[in-house]
Amino acid sequence: MSRKSKITQLVLLASSFLCFATQAQETGDTQKAQKPESEIPLTEAERKTIEQIEELEQKVLRPIPELKPLTELTVSPEMNDWMEEVHRDISESVHQSMIWFDGFFNDNPGHELMPKSLARISTSWLPRARDWSEVKIRFKLKAKLPYFKNKVDVIFSDDDYADQLPLESEQVKGSFEESSFAAAIRYIHKQDSKEFTDTRVGISGSELFVRSRYKRTHVWQEKHSFIFTPSIEYYTDDGLGARLLLEYDYQLNPDHLFRLNYSIRGSESFSGIRWKHGLYYLRHISDKEASVFGFLVEGERNGENGFLIENHTLSYRYRFNAIKKWLFFEIEPFVEWPEEDNYSTTPGIAFKVEGYFAKG
């Protein structure tokens, strides 16, 4: 396929998305004019289903403020004091930096609002069958800026994470050398229980980028949900691109969830279409423990090599909270079948320690 043809396809895809988003917004505005928003809320079943799915995902992958750390793992008083001091210093440093940044947008110095900041720092060791030396240090910092009525976030991280599925394991993906610093400001145009639209402008590695995303959620029968998320983007080096993420969730019960993801991406920077399929089973074991069983297949089609499967990954992630309520540990045995190794079986295991530093 010629470069001109690819550019034409991408432009058509981007235009279609923009038209779709515009029509959706116009339709929503028309409906609001005909009927007040207060008269067209979510049904009780839809609201309950969305809340249950979000609550379960929160329990499995994110810190829960009321968590009590496992009492079986204890530290000396000196170590405890040192850990608390480190946590306090990092949280305060991040928070003060966000106050300084947010202060640029304060037109009334006598009236100061406090931003909410959250930093996530993790260290992982990933011994594989043919590589026992890989160690990763990853970070992500996010803060809401109150002077924009909390519609603007500032995000700093060691990677753009744009190619990842929502539940894809960060430590099993790529290598440390492939990571690059990313920083972005995100503006939220619309956010409610059914629709979400945002635009992100920033830098990833040596590239400037802009990305717009539209997210639509559909719920039915109190157990099923479907999320449709198209986006368009532009990188100064890679050019125009577009993505589509589809997600289906089945809520088995309040502590068990099945999830199916499908993602495709096209860009001027490469031929063909990149795709990923992810199948996950989330289980909330207790208030201190959770697990994710996952199977991921990724590859490309319509490229120089035609249809190609680049890798299969089967993994089981066990996550628990210990010692401190802000400290999490993960153990993730996995098996890969990468195309670059002729699909030979490559077992491995990932060990991860992750700390959360929040304030505001």
Side-chain angles (χ1 to χ4, degrees), residues 121-137:
I121 302 174
S122 66
T123 302
S124 303
W125 179 43
L126 294 82
R128 284 180 170 87
R130 286 174 284 277
D131 182 7
W132 287 70
S133 62
E134 186 171 0
V135 176
K136 289 183 179 179
I137 299 177

Side-chain angles (χ1 to χ4, degrees), residues 99-107 147:
I99 291 176
W100 173 81
F101 187 86
D102 196 40
F104 283 107
F105 309 102
N106 182 12
D107 295 329
Y147 290 109

Side-chain angles (χ1 to χ4, degrees), residues 1 18 48 86 127 129 165 179 188 237 249 255 319 330 336:
M1 182 182 296
L18 290 174
K48 182 178 179 182
V86 169
L165 297 178
S179 298
I188 300 173
D237 291 345
D249 292 321
D255 292 326
R319 180 178 176 90
E330 287 187 11
E336 293 181 315

